[in-house]
Amino acid sequence: MPSSFIQDLGLISILLLIGFILRNRITFLQKLFIPVSIITGLLGLLLGTNGLEFLPFSDQIGSYPGIMIAFLFGSLPFTFDIEKDKSREFKRNTVQIGGASIIILLLQWGIGLLFGLTFLSWLYPGIHTSFGAILATGFFGGHGTAAAIGESFASNLQWAEAQSLAMTSATVGIFSATMGGVIMVQWGIKKKHTSFIKNFNELPDSYKTGLIVLKDQKSIGKATFSNIAIDPLLMHLMLVVFVGFAGIFLTNITKPFLSGYTIAAFSFAFVVGLLLKASLSKLKLMQYFDPKLMSRICGLFADLIVVFGIASIKTAVVIKFAGPLLLIFILGIALAIFLFRFMGSKLFITYWFEKSIFLWGMSLGVTAIGIALLRMVDPESKSETLPVFALGYIGVTPFEVLCLVFFPILASQGFQWHFTLGCLLGGIILYILIKKFNRTYKVS
């Protein structure tokens, strides 16, 4: 495993350099705002074991993003100050983005199943009655969930093909999230919906080329520890690694109590980070941890997550299925566009576009894609989307677990319609409650 990681990181480092050169030289890539991380990931996908097999990536490459996300969210609490940043507004935004995530989850389950039980069952008489479930298990759940539901669907529903179908759904979701997200960003800039990126033509050359001229270069942090004792960067990085591994450890020890399903490690890591930060503040030690340096460590993991996440996509499975898959993918993307355009602007009081574009990437692909798209429109993380999402996602996890655990059981007893209508009704009710919450929960 260690040697495999070093080899994979070495290959990715070469591709990162190539990706940066391409971004720096090709105007088309600059106009699309495509980050180097996405370019590199696509190069890895094309040249790696799932593409032309030119680069010998290990079979561990797909596991790196899930681990690194814990480190990323573990570093987040050290990059902002809730007390300075209006705690009531932070709490409100947490409820909004957590609630919006649950609504997307419930509607993907409900509408996907409704489509499968009605139109697809009519068009393809022999199709499995739970076929519509692959929309949510692939799009919102991603490859991790797609892999997890295989055994459950096979044992409860006698549906051996479910895992392959869900993996296909997850793969298509990632492509839709990436390419569709770039289009959405361009549309948002044109329509002036973005808060921090207003006009590409007015941006400094550094935004286009990736290189900052000497007179505009700034320090990315300050030394808070003596080099004689320990390198300051190493001390900051070790704190993040400790918090990230704490999140992974808590995920593993709680897994047996959730019937094999898990609370996301990044949610645990974020909470551990908050508690550790509070403890360090009480001990008056937070002055030795620089928020700017922590932000750069956060950005480091964000880029690596995107690169490894895209490079590890399994393209072969996409070619294997068609027909009903294509129809349900069109439905899922249409639903995502509708929710992006009409739900986001109504639920999010501040920075609706930045939060919505993140949820677009997260709910169609994976959290890493959401982070990449967010960085395109909010490069300095001023919208605080990631901190509020990390906390708000804790409330999403129970809904995810309930759907994944109970749907196969209910479906095996013939209760698909009950589950479907319950998801649809739950999504609508939650939307109404958040709208009411926005009217009553005023920011002081």
Side-chain angles (χ1 to χ4, degrees):
M1 173 66 174
S3 60
S4 297
F5 176 72
I6 295 299
Q7 174 180 302
D8 294 335
L9 186 61
L11 294 173
I12 285 297
S13 298
I14 296 172
L15 294 181
L16 275 167
L17 178 59
I18 296 173
F20 181 82
I21 294 173
L22 293 175
R23 176 67 160 74
N24 179 263
R25 297 293 181 182
I26 300 177
T27 305
F28 171 73
L29 297 177
Q30 296 174 3
K31 287 184 176 180
L32 285 179
F33 274 161
I34 298 181
V36 173
S37 56
I38 290 182
I39 298 172
T40 303
L42 292 173
L43 287 174
L45 179 61
L46 174 66
L47 301 175
T49 52
N50 296 315
L52 300 177
E53 299 185 356
F54 180 75
L55 297 177
F57 287 115
S58 73
D59 56 3
Q60 300 292 325
I61 189 172
S63 66
Y64 302 150
I67 297 172
M68 291 182 178
I69 283 178
F71 299 143
L72 185 153
F73 279 94
S75 66
L76 280 175
F78 302 94
T79 65
F80 67 94
D81 191 332
I82 294 179
E83 292 182 1
K84 289 182 180 179
D85 294 338
K86 304 177 182 179
S87 60
R88 284 179 60 82
E89 183 176 358
F90 188 90
K91 294 173 184 176
R92 182 201 67 195
N93 292 340
T94 300
V95 171
Q96 289 174 353
I97 201 164
S101 300
I102 296 172
I103 291 172
I104 295 171
L105 170 68
L106 293 177
L107 291 184
Q108 281 192 9
W109 273 98
I111 292 177
L113 284 169
L114 181 65
F115 186 69
L117 288 167
T118 55
F119 183 75
L120 289 183
S121 293
W122 167 76
L123 190 62
Y124 301 94
I127 201 170
H128 199 285
T129 54
S130 298
F131 190 92
I134 68 164
L135 177 61
T137 55
F139 276 25
F140 197 97
H143 286 89
T145 300
I149 56 91
E151 182 179 351
S152 179
F153 277 32
S155 59
N156 289 290
L157 302 178
Q158 289 74 52
W159 190 16
E161 299 172 326
Q163 180 169 322
S164 295
L165 293 170
M167 291 294 285
T168 304
S169 175
T171 304
V172 172
I174 285 182
F175 276 112
S176 303
T178 305
M179 305 311 296
V182 171
I183 295 172
M184 288 291 189
V185 168
Q186 289 293 313
W187 173 82
I189 294 172
K190 183 178 180 180
K191 296 294 184 180
K192 303 188 184 303
H193 291 311
T194 53
S195 300
F196 310 108
I197 304 295
K198 296 297 183 183
N199 189 325
F200 182 80
N201 294 325
E202 296 176 1
L203 292 175
D205 287 339
S206 61
Y207 276 57
K208 303 175 183 178
T209 65
L211 296 172
I212 301 176
V213 296
L214 183 61
K215 65 181 182 66
D216 294 328
Q217 293 174 5
K218 299 177 182 179
S219 171
I220 63 172
K222 57 185 179 182
T224 54
F225 293 87
S226 170
N227 286 333
I228 296 176
I230 188 171
D231 184 86
L233 178 59
L234 177 62
M235 191 64 182
H236 283 69
L237 183 61
M238 287 304 99
L239 183 69
V240 172
V241 171
F242 166 76
V243 174
F245 271 115
I248 295 171
F249 173 75
L250 289 173
T251 292
N252 290 334
I253 64 171
T254 56
K255 187 174 181 179
F257 303 102
L258 298 172
S259 300
Y261 295 96
T262 59
I263 295 175
F266 68 78
S267 288
F268 273 131
F270 185 76
V271 173
V272 171
L274 286 174
L275 295 175
L276 181 58
K277 180 181 178 181
S279 300
L280 291 174
S281 296
K282 284 199 172 187
L283 295 172
K284 301 187 185 302
L285 295 176
M286 269 308 298
Q287 60 183 309
Y288 299 110
F289 293 95
D290 180 33
K292 282 188 176 181
L293 198 52
M294 283 297 197
S295 294
R296 298 282 59 83
I297 293 174
C298 180
L300 181 152
F301 281 113
D303 278 343
L304 287 178
I305 288 167
V306 174
V307 171
F308 282 117
I310 296 177
S312 61
I313 293 173
K314 298 184 182 300
T315 54
V317 73
V318 178
I319 305 171
K320 193 174 180 180
F321 302 95
L325 280 176
L326 178 61
L327 293 175
I328 205 164
F329 293 155
I330 293 173
L331 172 71
I333 294 169
L335 173 63
I337 293 172
F338 175 81
L339 293 175
F340 174 89
R341 184 64 187 92
F342 297 102
M343 183 182 75
S345 59
K346 291 178 172 58
L347 288 190
F348 301 129
I349 295 176
T350 57
Y351 307 119
W352 79 265
F353 186 89
E354 287 73 19
K355 294 169 184 174
S356 295
I357 198 65
F358 170 77
L359 288 182
W360 165 278
M362 184 276 296
S363 63
L364 280 179
V366 290
T367 305
I369 302 299
I371 293 170
L373 295 172
L374 177 64
R375 283 165 66 82
M376 292 173 70
V377 295
D378 182 16
E380 301 297 326
S381 302
K382 293 181 180 179
S383 69
E384 292 187 350
T385 298
L386 290 182
V388 295
F389 170 75
L391 205 55
Y393 198 81
I394 295 175
V396 181
T397 300
F399 286 87
E400 267 195 292
V401 173
L402 286 172
C403 288
L404 293 171
V405 171
F406 287 106
F407 171 73
I409 299 173
L410 292 173
S412 67
Q413 302 299 316
F415 292 117
Q416 289 101 325
W417 273 106
H418 300 76
F419 183 89
T420 300
L421 296 177
C423 287
L424 292 173
L425 186 61
I428 294 171
I429 291 174
L430 185 55
Y431 175 82
I432 295 172
L433 289 176
I434 296 177
K435 289 282 289 182
K436 183 178 180 181
F437 173 84
N438 286 344
R439 290 195 298 269
T440 57
Y441 196 89
K442 302 296 182 183
V443 179
S444 60

